[in-house]
Coordinates of all heavy atoms in Angstrom, one line a residue:
I1 N 13.2 -35.4 55.8 CA 14.4 -35.3 55.1 C 14.4 -36.2 53.9 O 14.9 -36.0 52.8 CB 15.7 -35.5 56.0 CG1 15.7 -34.5 57.2 CG2 17.0 -35.4 55.2 CD1 15.7 -33.0 56.7
A2 N 13.9 -37.5 54.2 CA 13.9 -38.5 53.2 C 13.0 -38.0 52.0 O 13.3 -38.2 50.8 CB 13.3 -39.8 53.7
D3 N 11.9 -37.4 52.3 CA 11.0 -36.9 51.2 C 11.7 -35.8 50.4 O 11.6 -35.8 49.1 CB 9.7 -36.3 51.9 CG 8.8 -37.4 52.4 OD1 9.0 -38.6 52.1 OD2 8.1 -37.1 53.3
M4 N 12.4 -34.9 51.1 CA 13.1 -33.9 50.4 C 14.2 -34.4 49.5 O 14.4 -34.1 48.4 CB 13.8 -32.8 51.4 CG 12.7 -32.1 52.2 SD 13.5 -31.1 53.5 CE 14.7 -30.2 52.7
R5 N 14.8 -35.3 50.0 CA 16.0 -36.0 49.3 C 15.5 -36.8 48.1 O 16.2 -36.7 47.0 CB 16.9 -36.9 50.2 CG 17.9 -36.1 51.2 CD 18.8 -37.1 51.8 NE 19.6 -36.5 52.7 CZ 20.6 -36.9 53.4 NH1 20.8 -38.3 53.3 NH2 21.3 -36.3 54.2
E6 N 14.4 -37.4 48.3 CA 13.9 -38.2 47.1 C 13.5 -37.3 46.0 O 13.8 -37.7 44.8 CB 12.6 -39.0 47.6 CG 12.2 -40.1 46.5 CD 11.2 -41.0 47.1 OE1 10.6 -40.7 48.3 OE2 10.7 -41.9 46.5
K7 N 13.0 -36.2 46.2 CA 12.7 -35.2 45.1 C 13.9 -34.6 44.5 O 14.0 -34.5 43.4 CB 11.7 -34.1 45.8 CG 11.3 -33.1 44.7 CD 10.4 -32.1 45.2 CE 9.8 -31.2 44.2 NZ 10.9 -30.6 43.3
R8 N 14.9 -34.4 45.4 CA 16.1 -33.9 44.9 C 16.9 -34.8 44.0 O 17.5 -34.5 43.0 CB 17.1 -33.4 46.1 CG 18.3 -32.7 45.6 CD 19.1 -32.0 46.8 NE 19.8 -33.1 47.4 CZ 19.9 -33.3 48.7 NH1 19.3 -32.6 49.5 NH2 20.6 -34.2 49.2
Y9 N 16.8 -36.1 44.3 CA 17.5 -37.1 43.5 C 16.8 -37.2 42.2 O 17.5 -37.5 41.2 CB 17.3 -38.5 44.3 CG 18.3 -38.6 45.6 CD1 17.9 -39.4 46.5 CD2 19.4 -37.7 45.8 CE1 18.6 -39.5 47.7 CE2 20.1 -37.9 46.8 CZ 19.7 -38.8 48.0 OH 20.5 -38.8 49.0
E10 N 15.5 -37.1 42.2 CA 14.7 -37.1 40.9 C 15.2 -36.0 40.0 O 15.4 -36.1 38.8 CB 13.2 -37.1 41.1 CG 12.6 -38.4 41.7 CD 11.3 -38.3 42.0 OE1 10.6 -37.2 41.7 OE2 10.7 -39.2 42.5
D11 N 15.4 -34.8 40.6 CA 15.8 -33.6 39.8 C 17.1 -33.7 39.3 O 17.5 -33.1 38.4 CB 15.6 -32.3 40.8 CG 14.2 -32.0 41.1 OD1 13.3 -32.5 40.5 OD2 13.9 -31.3 42.2
E12 N 18.0 -34.4 40.1 CA 19.5 -34.6 39.7 C 19.6 -35.7 38.7 O 20.8 -35.9 38.2 CB 20.3 -34.8 41.0 CG 20.4 -33.8 42.0 CD 21.2 -34.1 43.2 OE1 21.6 -35.3 43.2 OE2 21.5 -33.2 44.0
G13 N 18.6 -36.4 38.4 CA 18.6 -37.5 37.4 C 19.1 -38.8 38.0 O 19.4 -39.7 37.2
I14 N 19.0 -39.0 39.2 CA 19.4 -40.2 39.8 C 18.2 -41.1 39.8 O 17.2 -40.9 40.5 CB 19.9 -40.0 41.3 CG1 21.1 -39.1 41.4 CG2 20.2 -41.4 42.0 CD1 21.6 -38.7 42.9
G15 N 18.3 -42.2 39.0 CA 17.1 -43.0 38.8 C 16.6 -43.8 40.0 O 15.6 -44.1 40.2
S16 N 17.7 -44.3 40.7 CA 17.4 -45.1 41.9 C 17.9 -44.4 43.2 O 19.0 -44.0 43.2 CB 18.0 -46.4 41.7 OG 17.6 -47.2 40.6
S17 N 17.0 -44.4 44.2 CA 17.4 -44.0 45.5 C 17.4 -45.2 46.5 O 16.6 -46.1 46.2 CB 16.5 -42.9 46.1 OG 15.2 -43.5 46.2
Y18 N 18.3 -45.2 47.3 CA 18.6 -46.4 48.1 C 18.2 -46.1 49.5 O 19.1 -45.8 50.4 CB 20.0 -47.0 48.0 CG 20.3 -47.3 46.6 CD1 20.9 -46.4 45.8 CD2 20.2 -48.5 46.0 CE1 21.3 -46.6 44.5 CE2 20.6 -48.8 44.8 CZ 21.1 -47.9 44.0 OH 21.4 -48.1 42.7
M19 N 16.9 -46.1 49.8 CA 16.4 -45.8 51.2 C 15.7 -46.9 51.9 O 14.9 -47.7 51.2 CB 15.5 -44.6 51.2 CG 16.1 -43.3 50.6 SD 15.1 -41.9 50.9 CE 16.1 -40.6 50.1
F20 N 16.1 -47.3 53.0 CA 15.6 -48.4 53.7 C 15.1 -47.9 55.0 O 15.8 -47.3 55.9 CB 16.7 -49.4 54.0 CG 16.2 -50.8 54.3 CD1 16.8 -51.8 53.6 CD2 15.3 -51.2 55.2 CE1 16.4 -53.2 53.7 CE2 14.9 -52.5 55.4 CZ 15.4 -53.4 54.7
R21 N 13.7 -48.2 55.2 CA 13.0 -47.8 56.4 C 13.3 -48.7 57.7 O 13.3 -49.9 57.6 CB 11.5 -47.7 56.2 CG 10.7 -47.4 57.5 CD 9.3 -47.2 57.2 NE 8.9 -46.1 56.2 CZ 8.9 -44.9 56.5 NH1 9.1 -44.5 57.8 NH2 8.7 -43.9 55.6
V22 N 13.8 -48.1 58.6 CA 14.2 -48.8 59.9 C 12.8 -48.9 60.8 O 12.6 -49.9 61.3 CB 15.3 -48.1 60.8 CG1 15.6 -48.9 62.0 CG2 16.5 -48.0 59.8
D23 N 12.3 -47.8 61.0 CA 11.0 -47.8 61.9 C 10.2 -46.5 61.3 O 10.4 -45.9 60.3 CB 11.3 -47.7 63.4 CG 12.3 -46.5 63.7 OD1 12.1 -45.6 63.0 OD2 13.0 -46.6 64.7
H24 N 9.2 -46.2 62.1 CA 8.3 -45.1 61.7 C 9.0 -43.8 61.5 O 8.6 -43.0 60.6 CB 7.2 -45.0 62.8 CG 6.1 -43.9 62.4 ND1 5.3 -44.1 61.4 CD2 6.0 -42.7 63.0 CE1 4.6 -43.0 61.3 NE2 4.9 -42.2 62.2
D25 N 10.0 -43.5 62.4 CA 10.7 -42.2 62.3 C 12.1 -42.2 61.6 O 12.6 -41.1 61.3 CB 10.9 -41.7 63.7 CG 9.6 -41.5 64.5 OD1 8.7 -41.1 63.9 OD2 9.5 -41.9 65.6
T26 N 12.7 -43.4 61.4 CA 14.1 -43.4 60.9 C 14.2 -44.2 59.6 O 13.6 -45.2 59.4 CB 14.9 -44.1 61.9 OG1 14.8 -43.6 63.2 CG2 16.5 -44.0 61.5
I27 N 15.0 -43.6 58.6 CA 15.3 -44.2 57.4 C 16.8 -44.1 57.1 O 17.4 -43.1 57.5 CB 14.5 -43.4 56.2 CG1 12.9 -43.6 56.4 CG2 15.0 -43.9 54.9 CD1 12.2 -42.7 55.4
I28 N 17.3 -45.2 56.5 CA 18.6 -45.2 56.3 C 18.9 -45.0 54.8 O 18.3 -45.6 53.8 CB 19.3 -46.5 56.5 CG1 19.4 -46.8 58.0 CG2 20.8 -46.7 55.9 CD1 20.0 -48.2 58.4
D29 N 19.5 -43.9 54.4 CA 19.7 -43.5 53.0 C 21.2 -43.8 52.6 O 22.2 -43.3 53.1 CB 19.6 -41.9 52.9 CG 19.7 -41.5 51.5 OD1 19.8 -42.3 50.6 OD2 19.8 -40.2 51.3
A30 N 21.2 -44.8 51.7 CA 22.5 -45.3 51.2 C 22.8 -44.8 49.7 O 23.6 -45.4 49.1 CB 22.6 -46.8 51.3
T31 N 22.0 -43.8 49.2 CA 22.1 -43.4 47.9 C 23.5 -42.9 47.6 O 24.1 -43.2 46.4 CB 21.2 -42.3 47.6 OG1 19.9 -42.8 48.0 CG2 21.1 -42.0 46.1
K32 N 24.1 -42.0 48.4 CA 25.4 -41.4 48.2 C 26.4 -41.8 49.1 O 27.6 -41.5 48.9 CB 25.2 -39.9 48.1 CG 24.4 -39.4 46.9 CD 24.4 -37.8 46.9 CE 23.8 -37.5 45.6 NZ 23.8 -35.9 45.5
C33 N 26.1 -42.5 50.2 CA 27.2 -43.0 51.2 C 26.7 -44.2 51.8 O 26.4 -44.3 52.9 CB 27.2 -41.8 52.3 SG 25.9 -41.4 53.2
G34 N 26.8 -45.2 51.0 CA 26.4 -46.6 51.5 C 27.5 -47.6 51.1 O 28.6 -47.3 50.8
N35 N 27.3 -48.8 51.4 CA 28.1 -50.0 51.0 C 27.5 -50.8 50.0 O 26.6 -50.5 49.3 CB 28.6 -50.7 52.3 CG 27.4 -51.3 53.0 OD1 26.3 -51.2 52.5 ND2 27.7 -52.2 53.9

């Protein structure tokens, strides 16, 4: 899902994505719903 969103953010013109890897399987995406 992170790979799909990263490409979508680029297509939408969002210059920065805020993704933080927790472990091998989990990533926290704060691009549109973070603090």
Side-chain angles (χ1 to χ4, degrees):
I1 304 300
D3 293 338
M4 293 172 56
R5 286 191 179 184
E6 192 170 8
K7 186 178 184 307
R8 190 173 75 223
Y9 292 154
E10 291 179 359
D11 295 339
E12 293 176 354
I14 300 177
S16 300
S17 64
Y18 303 90
M19 296 190 184
F20 203 125
R21 179 175 295 279
V22 180
D23 53 31
H24 181 71
D25 300 318
T26 308
I27 294 173
I28 294 180
D29 182 10
T31 306
K32 293 187 175 181
C33 56
N35 62 350

